Amino acid sequence: MTRLFASDLHLDPGRPDITTQFLDFLDGPAREAGALYLLGDLFEAWLGDDSPGTLGETVMAALASLSASGVGLFIMQGNRDFLLGEDFCRRAGGTLLTDPTLVTIGPQRVLLTHGDALCTGDAGYQRLRSLLRDPEVQRAFLALPVDRRRVLAAEARAGSRAHLAGADEYVTDVSPEAVERVLQQAGVSLLLHGHTHRPAVHRWRVAGRDCTRIVLGDWHRQGSVLRWDETGYELLELPRT
Ligand code: MN
C-alpha cells in the first residue's frame, strides 16, 4: 500500500495558489494512494469546527470525496489549527490522530508528530503551547463569537511572527534531546514530523541504534509530500505550475 504524508500546507484564503495545488493533489495523485496522512497545519488558522468558512468547507468536501473513494484519511492537529477537531474529521471522512501517534508501516514502526512539541529550546513557545492546549482555555475561546475569535487568532499570529523574527534558528528547530526522548519513550528509531519547514532525512547512530528523522516540507512555494510504498520512502517536491 502506498501512503502519502504531508503537513504545513497553511491553507489560507489569501493564498489561493496553495489551495488550488492541494485540491489538484487530492483529486489526482492522492487517489492512487491507500492512505493520506496530514500531520498538522493544514490550515493557517482554524477558528473552530463550527466556523470552517468557505475555504474550510471546500477543503472538507474535497477530503470527503477522497475518503469516499476508498483512501484512508488521517489528520493531526498542528500549532496553527490546534482547534481542528472530531467534527471536521468526521465530515471529511477522516480519523483524528493524537500527537504523537505510533504507526506500523511494513516492518517499520514510525512515530508521527507535528513537531512543535519537540522545539523545547523555545521556552516561550512551549509555555504558550501548554496554555493553548488547556481544554478550559479552548472551551472559553470556542464560546466567543466568531468575529472575536478571528481578531484574537490574528493577534496571536502577529505575536508569533514577531517572536520568530527575534529567535535564533536553532531555537526554532527541534531539540536533539527532545527527539531522543520521544524516540526512547515510544521504543522506536524512526520519527516523521513537519512544523519546522526544513524538509530533510536525518540519520544518526546512538547507543548502537540507527535512528532516522524525516522532516516534511511546507507548501509555501511548492508542494511537499513523503511517498512511502513497498520499495521504501521518498521525499518529493511538487512543483507549482
Ligand atoms: Mn506548525
Side-chain angles (χ1 to χ4, degrees), residues 110-148:
V110 186
L111 193 65
L112 309 178
T113 180
H114 177 58
D116 60 315
L118 302 172
C119 300
T120 51
D122 192 343
Y125 171 68
Q126 292 302 328
R127 273 195 302 277
L128 176 66
R129 186 179 192 276
S130 321
L131 179 74
L132 296 178
R133 301 275 165 156
D134 183 330
E136 279 194 34
V137 171
Q138 294 193 357
R139 254 196 306 277
F141 181 81
L142 290 171
L144 295 170
V146 174
D147 286 343
R148 183 75 195 124

Side-chain angles (χ1 to χ4, degrees), residues 8 10 39-41 78-80 114-116 125 194-197:
D8 303 282
H10 295 272
L39 298 185
D41 289 353
N79 55 301
R80 298 304 187 106
H114 177 58
D116 60 315
Y125 171 68
H195 180 65
T196 60
H197 301 190

